[in-house]
């Protein structure tokens, strides 16, 4: 009898976890876009127009420092759930510009840009 009760409790816990995770964010993942994976922000090589294959792919929220990025680059935000990205003139996410909304991109001169942030 104890084994049956433990088994039923384990099943109920697992079922509750699946239900909670399936409706947690309510947002659907993005589709791959110009080689940028779902849930990522991508930077493409200088003057690659149209954007085809990224050189930098970022998944984690927070600041990411950049180096040796000059001239015009596509920056595509393929995150979901309303997440944004910002290009920043300072290191570690300081001096950030306007947000780049999910599903959009900018063609920007990255010469003055020293970091990018991914924001929830």
């Amino acid at each position: 009898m104890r084994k049956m009760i433990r088994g039923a409790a384990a099943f109920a816990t697992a079922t509750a976890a699946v239900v909670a995770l399936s409706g947690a964010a309510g947002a659907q993942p993005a589709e791959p876009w110009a080689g940028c994976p779902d849930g990522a922000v991508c930077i493409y090589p200088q003057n690659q127009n149209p954007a085809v294959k990224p050189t930098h792919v970022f998944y984690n929220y927070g600041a990411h420092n950049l180096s040796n990025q000059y001239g015009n680059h596509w920056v595509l935000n393929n995150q979901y759930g309303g997440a944004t990205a910002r290009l920043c003139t300072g290191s570690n996410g300081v001096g950030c510009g306007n947000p780049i909304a999910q599903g959009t991109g900018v063609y920007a001169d990255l010469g003055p840009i020293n970091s990018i942030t991914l924001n929830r």
Side-chain angles (χ1 to χ4, degrees):
M1 184 69 167
R2 278 189 199 155
K3 285 184 182 181
M4 189 168 75
I5 292 172
R6 283 187 202 150
F11 178 75
T13 302
T15 303
V18 169
V19 170
L21 290 175
S22 66
Q28 295 298 317
E31 294 295 320
W33 174 31
C36 188
D38 301 346
V41 173
C42 299
I43 298 177
Y44 294 78
Q46 181 179 2
N47 298 323
Q48 187 180 83
N49 196 3
V52 178
K53 184 177 179 187
T55 54
H56 295 75
V57 178
F58 303 101
Y59 288 99
N60 298 328
Y61 294 121
H64 303 275
N65 291 329
L66 303 175
S67 61
N68 299 318
Q69 299 297 306
Y70 304 100
N72 293 318
H73 297 254
W74 275 107
V75 179
L76 302 183
N77 181 0
N78 201 27
Q79 298 180 97
Y80 45 89
T84 63
R86 289 178 188 255
L87 299 175
C88 310
T89 56
S91 296
N92 301 314
V94 174
C96 299
N98 293 327
I100 303 167
Q102 76 177 43
T104 63
V106 296
Y107 192 61
D109 178 6
L110 296 187
I113 303 300
N114 287 301
S115 62
I116 184 170
T117 63
L118 277 61
N119 314 295
R120 296 176 201 252

